[in-house]
Amino acid sequence: MNEGLSISSPRISPYALTLSSADRAALKSQRARCVWLTGLSGAGKSTLANALEVYLNQHGLHTYVLDGDNVRAGLCRDLGMGADCRRENIRRMAQVARLMVDAGLIVIVAAISPFRAEREAARKLFCKGDFIEVFVSTSFAVCAQRDPKGLYQKARQGLIRDFTGVDSPYEAPLKAECEIDTQALDMAEACQHLAGFLLKK
């Protein structure tokens, strides 16, 4: 990495700001946190993240959704789909989420984020209790049947490679704070369940 861009470079000295995340969140009458939705493609992460944001917004809370495909279209458009690029994609999303939580927002991340190590690295960026991992545990069979983007079919035909669940692994969370199966719950029920869990905390 170029020395001028490295955090270990003597040229870089992060400035200590006076206001804290709690100070900024207090103006919004909320607790800032990161709600991280992980699961297979087609599990319902983006739909649930969107529904949750609408629900929280209607209850006067200040939010933002970081959706995996949306971030891939901009900030991470230079990254491929191999394992190293996927790790970097999650690292960038986690860093952006941390900045948004520091700004006092409730940030909802919807990303496959298939590797436990990267999700744990993301968790470590936040204060205790400010990172809530939500496992959208809809099964592979159901996700592949839904196949909303046609990606499972293309992966099985060999048209795309390194596709999670087909030729790239998905490491399910071991201790997620919340688990939601969108096969067992319709989206309204899933949203109510997750919102209720968050508001209790």
Side-chain angles (χ1 to χ4, degrees):
M1 181 179 288
N2 184 296
E3 184 190 18
L5 298 177
S6 173
I7 193 63
S8 62
S9 169
R11 298 183 186 183
I12 294 179
S13 180
Y15 187 83
L17 300 174
T18 301
L19 290 179
S20 68
S21 174
D23 293 329
R24 299 182 186 101
L27 287 177
K28 303 173 177 63
S29 301
Q30 64 185 33
R31 177 177 174 179
R33 55 184 53 185
C34 175
V35 183
W36 192 287
L37 278 61
T38 175
L40 294 169
S41 177
K45 300 179 301 299
S46 296
T47 306
L48 179 55
N50 183 65
L52 178 63
E53 182 178 39
V54 170
Y55 181 94
L56 296 178
N57 180 271
Q58 290 172 345
H59 285 74
L61 299 174
H62 298 252
T63 60
Y64 194 78
V65 172
L66 288 174
D67 180 77
D69 280 356
N70 292 356
V71 174
R72 279 273 186 182
L75 176 65
C76 297
R77 66 184 302 173
D78 60 316
L79 299 176
M81 297 303 294
D84 288 344
C85 285
R86 299 184 85 172
R87 291 186 184 97
E88 174 61 13
N89 178 62
I90 296 305
R91 188 195 70 81
R92 293 185 192 180
M93 290 188 74
Q95 289 288 345
V96 172
R98 184 189 65 82
L99 291 173
M100 288 186 164
V101 168
D102 197 42
L105 297 175
I106 298 170
V107 184
I108 307 162
V109 176
I112 294 172
S113 44
F115 306 118
R116 291 189 194 108
E118 279 65 56
R119 296 195 303 267
E120 283 305 304
R123 181 186 293 273
K124 290 177 181 177
L125 295 175
F126 299 88
C127 295
K128 185 176 181 179
D130 288 351
F131 182 93
I132 298 170
E133 186 176 38
V134 179
F135 179 28
V136 185
S137 60
T138 312
S139 70
F140 173 87
V142 171
C143 292
Q145 182 179 29
R146 290 175 178 172
D147 201 10
K149 304 172 188 175
L151 298 178
Y152 285 93
Q153 182 179 2
K154 290 179 181 178
R156 286 168 167 165
Q157 294 172 343
L159 299 177
I160 56 176
R161 302 184 64 182
D162 296 315
F163 186 73
T164 302
V166 177
D167 59 349
S168 184
Y170 177 78
E171 299 172 353
L174 299 177
K175 296 180 180 179
E177 281 78 6
C178 184
E179 180 174 341
I180 293 177
D181 182 349
T182 62
Q183 181 185 14
L185 301 173
D186 65 31
M187 195 50 64
E189 292 171 329
C191 180
Q192 286 286 341
H193 179 79
L194 181 52
F197 173 81
L198 293 175
L199 294 177
K200 284 180 184 178
K201 293 178 69 67

